[in-house]
Amino acid sequence: MKHLLSINDLSKAEAINVLDTAAELSRLSEGTVKKFPTLRGRTVVNLFFEDSTRTRISFEAAAKRLSADVINFSAKGSSLSKGESLKDTALTLQAMGADAVVIRHGASGAPHQLARQQWMTGSVINAGDGTHEHPTQALLDAFTLRRHLGQDAGDLQGLRVAIVGDVLHSRVARSNVLLLQKLGAKVVLIAPPTLLPVGVASWGAEVSYSLDAEIESVDAIMMLRVQRERMDDLYFPTEREYSRNFGLNLERINSMKSDAIVMHPGPMNRGLEISADSADSTRSVIVEQVANGVSIRMAVLYLLLSGTARSESNSTIEVGV
Amino acid sequence: MNTWKIENAKNSLGELQQIFISEGLVVQALPTGSQPTVINAEGLHILPGFVDLHTHLREPGREDAETVLTGSQAAVAGGFTAISAMPNTLPVADTAGVVEQVFRLGKSHGLCDVYPIGAVTIDQKGTHLAELSAMNQSEARVRIFSDDGHCVSDPLVMRRALEYVKTFDGLIAQHAQDPRLTENSQMNEGEISARLGLKGWPAVAEEAIIARDVLLAEHVDSRLHICHLTTAGGVEIVRRAKERGIKVTAEVTPHHLLLTDEKAESYDPVFKVNPPLRTNSDVIALREGLADGTIDIIATDHAPHPNEAKDCEWSAAAFGMVGLETAFSIAYLTMVQSGLMTLADLVNRMSSSPARIGRYAGHGEIRVNSPANVVLVDLAATWHVEREHLHSKSKNTPFHGMELPGVIKKTFHNGALVYENLDSRGGVKK
Amino acid sequence: MSVVLNAGEINRALRRISHEILEKNHGSADVLLLGIPTRGAFLSKRIAGDINEIEKTSIPVGTLDITMYRDDLRMRPPRTLLPTEIPSGGIDGKHVVLVDDVFYSGRTIRAALDALNEIGRPKSVQLAVLIDRGHRELPIRADFVGKNIPTSKDESVKVHLAEIDGSDAVTIEGRDGK
């Protein structure tokens, strides 16, 4: 595995290996080890064309705990906002010797182009592209689910997970549908029909228009951020109506299974898709998702940056037994 | 000089045909004492030069992408002897001045006939009719009008345009795309757009406009032409309209006859096109529609773009593909080699019918005392599409790397040899 | 493939190492064993068992995975992390004995020393290995060696342990598999 562009790049075994690696790293980090020399001398570039402080900080912390050099490259105030093309940016990063580029971009598929156009040789990690995918978010969500509802090992067989809200525009939903199903979980997508993509039937997930009809039967509920601008694009009539039908509140939480958990990729719109008391309830694992994000990103960086010499050069390397 | 004797070629029906060319015309016999250049065309087919009703030449304004000259060179390399320049230039071809400029450039290069298409509305804004009569009365004699690239979406504007051009037997060519249903749309809306997270472009956005416009054409008894049909539903609407006697004609592009939206999975913007690549069942319906005559013609929608417009993120990339040089091969592959139609049918869709719809005199047939607009093709040979070898100034072909049947060997325009394929890789500039 | 140590010889070598550890450290006080996964971890448990039996005590045993400290990351496909288990008392002030199966270039032990550095400050670090096959690339030596086996670089030495391989044996095979 050279790049992580989509959950489709991972086999089930590889996905579980990411989770297992993250679990071990997380255990070590909780103990005494705060920093590993693993990626000493490697350069990880955070290339953020969209603002996302939390994802950038998470990747930065992960890279630093592995002793990589981190360069943050954000669109604001840089040449990126002055119309420099993705290609020129990639060529610049190549010249700087980036071993890995973590890219967040507003255009779906931008990381694929960075990886496939051969503008650069480093690994590309998709940190969210347009309305396409956000694979490390899905991995950290699966990790969190496994911790709470699995044995912190193996797959997610037998779980039923609801993803609620703006599925149409959500890269988190796309990656999660792919990963959770790959790991054996059942996914039910809950949204008004306007916020579900045409063609959603091919995803293999169940689709429901009613949160109340599903909430009692799920093991976890993943609330998606709903942008207020969507109202102007006629996806729903008013925030009030959206919230009434698809928002999570304490009453709904109380109807969930006793061990069911509440997740949200953040940032939250408190009062719209999730009420403040729901976000802060004991069922909520939202803060934990953030912590798990660092372990997952450490695992991804470690796994992607191992063995790269072999794929880059033809010279034979003697390996000691 | 400029007298030719082409012997041993077969015509589109497969019959041996001998042709004499003199003074720019196909003649019954050469004048006595003339010394013709003899071409032994054994193994080749001689066909009337192809006619494209949908070409983007970019001049004036975007000469970095294409010019009338380079577009004409690409055209004759693809076997076309007449092309139709779409008006979405800078400035827009919405006045007699601009269409005359394009027309004269085509004439002066002399490679093929360049027929400008005029804009329907001023600056293609869709609100006020351009001076359609003035463009018709200009030296360019414009008969086809289109806001291509944009839809004439206001039904009243469309109705008025359809009515107004009747005075000079004009034709409105509609780019059928409901603008509200396709805001920021990137590709066909369906399973693949859902998975790729690219904003969908529903088939209904095209079909709703086609349905509306055939009804408008019926109501005011005008001619209507539908540009680049892409959906099975659109084919069905046109089929029903023709059954009702509505004067509608339609075109399909070579790329929509072959490629599907699965190509977007690469996120390679060379496959980004307006209207978008559709599904396999649409491709099948388009082929059937072309075979049964519901779709009258093949038009290239040749849309050159410079590298930087395609060397970027999908959503930032320009829409369009070049197509003049690959059109015949793709059409032959998808329609004739697949057994859906005969070579004669294909000549009808690429030459006779477009010449008839555009009222392009001197094109569409090989006839004694008509201008010698003919092409010699080798149907048994294949060629390798290499984008750097294209004559077009732009290299945005979706067929790069493919091995295609049907090699254009020679193109004659008004009796002059304007293109000759001397090597195996597909072309030499004249 | 030839067998250089059989089950009985392995047992005797480990028992001798156990005695040497006690001798060098004047008993078992403050001695802590850390096995390097995979096979070093099983060996450390066996040595601890011997020491406990001899001394009638219970010395702390743990494991130390060195994957994240390797210096050959670029050259190998990613390895799965193996568990690191540090005994609850920590390693500060202890005589830490690292236990590994085959001692070769020394790079594994270099990585283990780096890993230990992150965990604490032992009073001393010692090294026990079942096999020393030579070809050191770093200035590191073992304190306790089960058996020295001169090898060529073409050969590979494999330690088989009942815990995961079904039975005990140390084998050596050439590059051609003989």
Side-chain angles (χ1 to χ4, degrees), chain A residues 141-159:
Chain A
D141 288 338
F143 182 85
T144 307
L145 282 165
R146 207 172 74 152
R147 270 224 156 152
H148 281 271
L149 304 167
Q151 277 75 52
D152 207 7
D155 62 15
L156 298 174
Q157 201 72 44
L159 292 188

Side-chain angles (χ1 to χ4, degrees), chain C:
Chain C
M1 189 181 84
S2 64
V3 176
V4 289
L5 286 184
N6 62 29
E9 288 165 330
I10 290 174
N11 266 336
R12 283 191 286 281
L14 293 176
R15 187 158 278 266
R16 180 170 49 74
I17 288 173
S18 305
H19 281 289
E20 287 173 4
I21 290 172
L22 290 170
E23 200 175 316
K24 183 178 173 91
N25 295 293
H26 310 291
S28 63
D30 291 337
V31 171
L32 183 155
L33 302 185
L34 284 181
I36 296 171
T38 307
R39 287 172 183 74
F42 297 115
L43 292 175
S44 66
K45 286 198 181 110
R46 293 199 196 178
I47 293 172
D50 286 347
I51 290 177
N52 292 343
E53 193 185 313
I54 298 160
E55 292 284 292
K56 307 287 179 250
T57 179
S58 177
I59 63 164
V61 193
T63 57
L64 181 67
D65 179 49
I66 54 96
T67 307
M68 299 301 283
Y69 298 87
R70 299 187 70 97
D71 62 1
D72 59 355
L73 196 66
R74 283 173 198 260
M75 303 168 206
R76 288 167 168 265
R79 293 158 176 265
T80 303
L81 296 196
L82 299 166
T84 292
E85 305 283 355
I86 302 299
S88 54
I91 64 169
D92 287 0
K94 297 280 174 33
H95 297 291
V96 172
V97 182
L98 296 172
V99 182
D100 203 0
D101 53 352
V102 179
F103 189 28
Y104 188 22
S105 68
R107 289 177 191 272
T108 300
I109 305 307
R110 198 275 314 149
L113 292 172
D114 281 355
L116 275 187
N117 215 19
E118 294 289 327
I119 294 167
R121 188 180 183 283
K123 194 183 285 174
S124 71
V125 182
Q126 299 158 26
L127 173 63
V129 297
L130 180 59
I131 304 295
D132 182 351
R133 61 169 295 194
H135 304 291
R136 215 76 70 236
E137 294 166 6
L138 294 170
I140 292 172
R141 60 164 181 80
D143 300 271
F144 316 105
V145 178
K147 186 173 175 64
N148 283 294
I149 301 178
T151 59
S152 85
K153 282 196 165 186
D154 285 350
E155 292 168 319
S156 84
V157 176
K158 290 223 169 75
V159 171
H160 309 262
L161 296 177
E163 290 91 329
I164 50 169
D165 304 307
S167 62
D168 283 2
V170 177
T171 61
I172 183 164
E173 55 185 81
R175 180 155 274 186
D176 54 4
K178 281 183 188 163

Side-chain angles (χ1 to χ4, degrees), chain B residues 16-256:
Chain B
L16 276 176
Q17 190 166 8
Q18 181 163 270
I19 283 180
F20 301 106
I21 298 174
S22 173
E23 304 288 323
L25 303 178
V26 176
V27 292
Q28 190 71 53
L30 291 174
T32 45
S34 59
Q35 303 250 306
T37 310
V38 178
I39 297 173
N40 181 359
E42 192 172 347
L44 305 183
H45 280 74
I46 187 158
L47 307 174
F50 308 134
V51 176
D52 190 18
L53 290 192
H54 196 140
T55 326
H56 295 274
L57 293 179
R58 305 298 185 213
E59 191 176 3
R62 287 308 303 268
E63 292 83 356
D64 58 324
E66 195 81 285
T67 63
V68 175
L69 176 60
T70 57
S72 299
Q73 287 168 337
V76 296
F80 289 90
T81 52
I83 55 177
S84 313
M86 277 295 175
N88 58 337
T89 48
L90 293 171
V92 167
D94 57 0
T95 61
V98 181
V99 293
E100 280 188 350
Q101 181 195 352
V102 173
F103 179 74
R104 284 180 192 148
L105 282 167
K107 262 261 180 294
S108 71
H109 300 317
L111 291 170
C112 60
D113 285 325
V114 176
Y115 295 97
I117 291 176
V120 178
T121 62
I122 293 173
D123 210 23
Q124 298 190 308
K125 289 276 192 284
T127 50
H128 296 88
L129 289 185
E131 290 190 352
L132 308 180
S133 256
M135 288 189 267
N136 176 257
Q137 287 156 17
S138 75
E139 192 185 341
R141 313 296 305 169
V142 177
R143 261 218 184 85
I144 305 178
F145 298 90
S146 179
D147 274 1
D148 184 65
H150 304 273
C151 180
V152 181
S153 63
D154 183 323
L156 184 65
V157 174
M158 189 61 187
R159 174 196 170 147
R160 295 284 186 257
L162 286 167
E163 289 176 300
Y164 190 78
V165 297
K166 285 164 77 174
T167 49
F168 46 84
D169 190 27
L171 176 66
I172 303 297
Q174 175 69 296
H175 173 121
Q177 176 191 355
D178 184 280
R180 279 289 272 162
L181 286 173
T182 54
E183 278 170 17
N184 298 318
S185 290
Q186 298 293 324
M187 66 171 294
N188 178 53
E189 182 166 33
E191 285 180 16
I192 296 179
S193 65
R195 195 165 75 234
L196 297 182
L198 290 172
K199 182 140 193 282
W201 187 311
V204 63
E206 180 171 326
E207 292 156 2
I209 296 292
I210 297 173
R212 181 199 76 179
D213 286 355
V214 295
L215 294 175
L216 281 174
E218 178 179 42
H219 182 61
V220 298
D221 191 30
S222 292
R223 285 210 290 155
L224 167 71
H225 182 71
I226 305 295
C227 294
H228 40 51
L229 215 62
T230 67
T231 72
V235 175
E236 194 50 36
I237 294 166
V238 171
R239 190 175 281 130
R240 290 287 160 80
K242 286 190 164 181
E243 283 166 12
R244 281 170 64 157
I246 298 170
K247 290 184 273 186
V248 59
T249 54
E251 71 189 32
V252 62
T253 72
H255 47 272
H256 288 113

